[in-house]
Amino acid sequence: MVGEGADGADAVDLVNRHYPDVLLMDVRMPKVDGLTALRSVKALPKSPRVIMLTTFDLDEYVFAALEAGAAGFLLKDTPPRDLISAVEVVARGDAMLSPAVTRRMLEHFTHANPAQAAPEVPGLDKLTQRETEVLANVGAGFSNAQIGQRLFMSEATVKAHISKIFAKLECTNRVQIAIVAHEAGLTVDL
């Protein structure tokens, strides 16, 4: 950890001084709120990957944060080990949303455009059984480490499956494959 700020202005200043790889930032802060600070941080030439934290599980915060360039969005009640895992996931270049946020976001996209939701998802038949299991877990919002624990495989194996899923489904990020999982009706036991 290289710094801790009291508000969004401090966060921007600390990023300018220390060039962190990952920034954890609260949505609601005094003086300069987290969403405004996020926009300022993402405008910097060497901006870190940002995980937004909030107590308030409101869709408007999630959408605003993702549109502004956040790589993650977690609730403050996220267990410490999951928070550490999220920092590691985001530092590696992946995105991380809390499972509850992921489910709501997927429901929003599929219910907002029900006519666009395909009954059969193109490319899904190209996936192996194991890739389909990994896809369902990504759709539920789990990190690579969590998927590995749930499916009894190494994190490297999970990453390999996800790379194959990206290629077979012609997706470029985890949110896209999570949407595919939701459209296909793939679920996992939480």
Side-chain angles (χ1 to χ4, degrees):
M1 187 162 127
V2 296
E4 182 177 355
D7 59 44
D10 283 351
V12 176
D13 182 52
L14 287 165
V15 167
N16 275 319
R17 284 191 283 145
H18 298 289
Y19 305 105
D21 295 317
V22 177
L23 173 64
L24 292 174
M25 189 160 42
D26 196 344
V27 169
R28 293 181 60 170
M29 294 185 285
K31 297 181 187 174
V32 177
D33 68 86
L35 295 173
T36 301
L38 171 63
R39 290 180 191 95
S40 296
V41 164
K42 295 311 287 182
L44 297 172
K46 189 178 177 186
S47 69
R49 307 222 358 116
V50 180
I51 299 174
M52 299 302 293
L53 298 169
T54 187
T55 304
F56 306 96
D57 189 11
L58 300 174
D59 290 344
E60 63 210 52
Y61 290 154
V62 176
F63 295 128
L66 295 175
E67 285 176 353
F73 194 96
L74 300 173
L75 302 177
K76 285 186 181 177
D77 64 357
T78 299
R81 73 177 195 281
D82 292 345
L83 184 59
I84 291 167
S85 176
V87 169
E88 292 169 344
V89 165
V90 167
R92 286 192 304 267
D94 288 328
M96 183 58 152
L97 302 174
S98 72
V101 169
T102 300
R103 279 189 297 278
R104 276 200 344 276
M105 198 166 121
L106 292 172
E107 288 172 9
H108 171 79
F109 283 114
T110 56
H111 293 313
N113 301 305
Q116 294 177 1
E120 280 193 38
V121 179
L124 200 60
D125 60 335
K126 297 177 187 174
L127 301 181
T128 66
Q129 177 64 34
R130 200 59 160 164
E131 290 166 352
T132 303
E133 292 171 356
V134 170
L135 174 63
N137 278 270
V138 171
F142 292 109
S143 70
N144 290 353
Q146 292 168 322
I147 294 169
Q149 289 172 346
R150 292 174 56 82
L151 299 180
F152 306 102
M153 63 177 77
S154 72
E155 194 170 342
T157 302
V158 173
K159 288 179 188 177
H161 285 305
I162 290 174
S163 292
K164 291 176 185 173
I165 292 167
F166 281 146
K168 290 178 180 180
L169 298 180
E170 299 180 9
C171 293
T172 58
N173 62 54
R174 288 178 80 95
V175 173
Q176 288 177 334
I177 62 174
I179 291 170
V180 168
H182 187 74
E183 288 177 347
L186 299 176
T187 60
V188 297
D189 293 330
L190 301 177

